């Protein structure tokens, strides 16, 4: 691979230096096939060592490795080849396997890469976003520090969803411990979009230190489900059909987070529409009877008054396709 002299007249190394000077990381793209998915460039199949050394010499920090124009060799052979080449390149490079969830990549991707796509390409729509996050749940047990399930990048700021839907999008990706890759134009991010993506929201929405991804642990009927992890999520996807996730670590040892996401048609008091409520029962989310917690509204950056005890449930009213996020911290009674 060489730099296009018209697009990058100073070369990729100069571009990497410029990007690093802005406090950012440089990501590159290739494919575990003979061509990249656009069919405009050659892929890295058969040239893994040479390409990896070039990536390192240019100062790359991240490689997204796609899966187009395959030669019939299994993914379990082609993707590890680039992993070994990157490890021998002399530079730490985050390796993102974009294998689209073929061959249950979550079960073997951790031995090769730092993240692995569990789904096809995301769409910048409410249903498209949910279509990607739902199947990602099946592989929660394989997430760990430096190895993450990836339901594709964030669409926040691209214009296909409302502000509230993007807040839900961001919250779900935090629950899934998905790599928070920004997909919109960073040179023109609106202030309200930046409010979702800013580090304060990221740090409060979900720590990646423990590497615990949300996982379903209980199901009520056809559409009422409970998950457990470092978070609590209550979500109604559409209409009056509740879709409930509840994710929580043991609040006596670790703070947990409550996500309360809205339903479809509905409303709130004073709007002339029905109010949508989501409820979490403390036992479902691992809060023991008698344990007291304080709640902090992450998106408002403020604490709720009073304390909540493990003998009660937690209920919140939410607008359609919206989300309320609370950090629950154990406190003395």
């Amino acid at each position: 691979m060489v730099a296009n002299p018209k697009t990058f007249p100073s070369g990729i190394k100069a571009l990497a230096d410029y990007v690093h000077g802005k406090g950012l990381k440089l990501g590159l793209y290739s494919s575990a096939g003979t061509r990249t998915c656009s069919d405009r460039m050659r892929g890295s199949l058969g040239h893994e060592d040479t390409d990896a050394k070039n990536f390192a010499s240019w100062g790359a920090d991240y490689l997204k490795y796609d899966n187009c124009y395959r030669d019939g060799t299994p993914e379990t052979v082609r993707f590890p080849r680039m992993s070994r080449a990157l490890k021998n390149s002399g530079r730490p490079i985050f390796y993102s396997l974009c294998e689209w969830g073929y061959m249950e990549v979550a079960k073997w991707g951790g031995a090769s890469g730092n993240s692995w796509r569990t789904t096809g390409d995301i769409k910048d729509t409410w249903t498209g976003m949910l279509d990607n996050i739902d199947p990602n749940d099946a592989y929660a047990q394989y997430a760990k520090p430096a190895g993450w399930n990836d339901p594709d990048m964030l669409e926040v700021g691209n214009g296909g969803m409302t502000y509230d839907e993007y807040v839900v999008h961001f919250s779900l990706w935090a629950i899934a411990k998905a790599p928070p890759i920004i997909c919109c134009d960073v040179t023109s991010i609106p202030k309200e979009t930046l409010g979702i993506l800013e580090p304060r929201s990221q740090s409060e929405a979900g720590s990646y230190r423990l590497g615990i991804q949300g996982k379903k642990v209980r199901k009520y009927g056809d559409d009422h489900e409970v998950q457990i992890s470092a978070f609590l999520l209550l979500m109604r996807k559409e209409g009056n059909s509740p879709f409930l996730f509840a994710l929580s670590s043991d609040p006596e040892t670790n703070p947990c987070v409550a996500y309360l996401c809205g339903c479809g048609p509905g409303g709130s008091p004073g709007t002339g529409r029905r109010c949508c409520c989501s409820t979490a029962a403390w036992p479902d989310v691992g809060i023991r009877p008698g344990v007291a917690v304080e709640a902090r509204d992450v998106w408002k950056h403020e604490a709720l008054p009073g304390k909540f005890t493990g003998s009660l449930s937690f209920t919140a009213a939410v607008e359609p396709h919206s989300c309320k996020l609370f950090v629950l911290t154990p406190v003395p009674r």
Side-chain angles (χ1 to χ4, degrees):
M1 290 188 180
V2 296
N4 185 319
K6 293 183 179 180
T7 309
F8 306 107
S10 300
I12 305 300
K13 178 64 168 64
L15 175 62
D17 292 342
Y18 172 81
V19 170
H20 292 156
K22 298 294 184 181
L24 302 171
K25 303 293 186 181
L26 181 71
L28 299 180
Y29 169 87
S30 187
S31 178
T34 57
R35 306 286 292 175
T36 59
C37 290
S38 68
D39 196 22
R40 296 174 58 190
M41 298 189 303
R42 187 171 184 170
S44 292
L45 185 65
H47 304 274
E48 293 87 356
D49 290 329
T50 299
D51 288 353
K53 289 178 181 177
N54 277 334
F55 301 156
S57 68
W58 294 338
D61 305 292
Y62 179 102
L63 174 65
K64 178 178 178 178
Y65 205 47
D66 224 328
N67 197 25
C68 289
Y69 294 93
R70 306 180 292 278
D71 67 348
T73 306
E75 282 78 4
T76 51
V77 174
R78 288 180 288 109
F79 281 87
R81 286 178 186 168
M82 179 56 79
S83 176
R84 292 189 292 270
L86 292 173
K87 290 175 182 177
N88 293 330
S89 70
R91 179 180 176 82
I93 296 176
F94 187 106
Y95 183 30
S96 173
L97 285 67
C98 188
E99 186 258 15
W100 315 324
Y102 285 1
M103 300 183 70
E104 296 188 287
V105 62
K107 295 183 178 181
W108 54 269
S112 297
N114 304 108
S115 67
W116 41 86
R117 278 278 293 280
T118 56
T119 67
D121 292 347
I122 192 172
K123 294 180 177 63
D124 186 19
T125 64
W126 174 254
T127 56
M129 178 267 292
L130 294 178
D131 285 345
N132 271 42
I133 198 63
D134 285 346
N136 190 70
D137 174 80
Y139 303 105
Q141 69 189 87
Y142 299 102
K144 63 184 188 301
W148 314 103
N149 290 312
D150 178 13
D152 209 356
M153 62 189 98
L154 294 167
E155 292 290 346
V156 177
N158 282 332
M161 289 183 263
T162 66
Y163 172 85
D164 286 342
E165 289 173 340
Y166 280 138
V167 170
V168 175
H169 180 10
F170 185 96
S171 300
L172 289 169
W173 261 238
I175 287 174
K177 292 295 184 290
I181 306 299
I182 297 173
C183 183
C184 65
D185 184 351
V186 298
T187 66
S188 58
I189 297 179
K191 185 176 181 180
E192 69 170 15
T193 298
L194 193 60
I196 300 175
L197 299 171
E198 66 178 353
R200 179 169 60 166
S201 297
Q202 177 63 39
S203 62
E204 289 197 60
S207 168
Y208 286 69
R209 180 172 53 86
L210 296 179
I212 301 172
Q213 178 180 324
K215 185 177 181 180
K216 297 175 186 176
V217 295
R218 188 171 299 180
K219 185 173 182 178
Y220 301 92
D222 293 332
D223 52 12
H224 186 172
E225 297 180 346
V226 176
Q227 294 189 24
I228 191 155
S229 177
F231 305 97
L232 168 66
L233 169 66
L234 296 161
M235 182 177 177
R236 285 177 178 158
K237 288 184 177 180
E238 301 289 347
N240 295 320
S241 299
F243 191 88
L244 171 65
F245 298 84
L247 300 90
S248 172
S249 60
D250 184 348
E252 292 186 351
T253 58
N254 294 303
C256 58
V257 180
Y259 294 81
L260 297 128
C261 304
C263 62
S268 60
T271 65
R273 297 179 296 171
R274 290 178 294 104
C275 181
C276 246
C277 290
S278 295
T279 300
W282 284 153
D284 290 340
V285 298
I287 299 179
R288 301 171 187 172
V291 173
V293 298
E294 291 180 339
R296 177 176 174 80
D297 189 318
V298 170
W299 295 112
K300 289 186 176 181
H301 306 290
E302 63 184 26
L304 273 63
K307 298 179 183 179
F308 302 88
T309 66
S311 60
L312 303 173
S313 60
F314 190 88
T315 301
V318 293
E319 295 289 344
H321 288 201
S322 64
C323 180
K324 291 184 179 179
L325 167 62
F326 303 94
V327 177
L328 305 181
T329 305
V331 294
R333 295 194 66 180

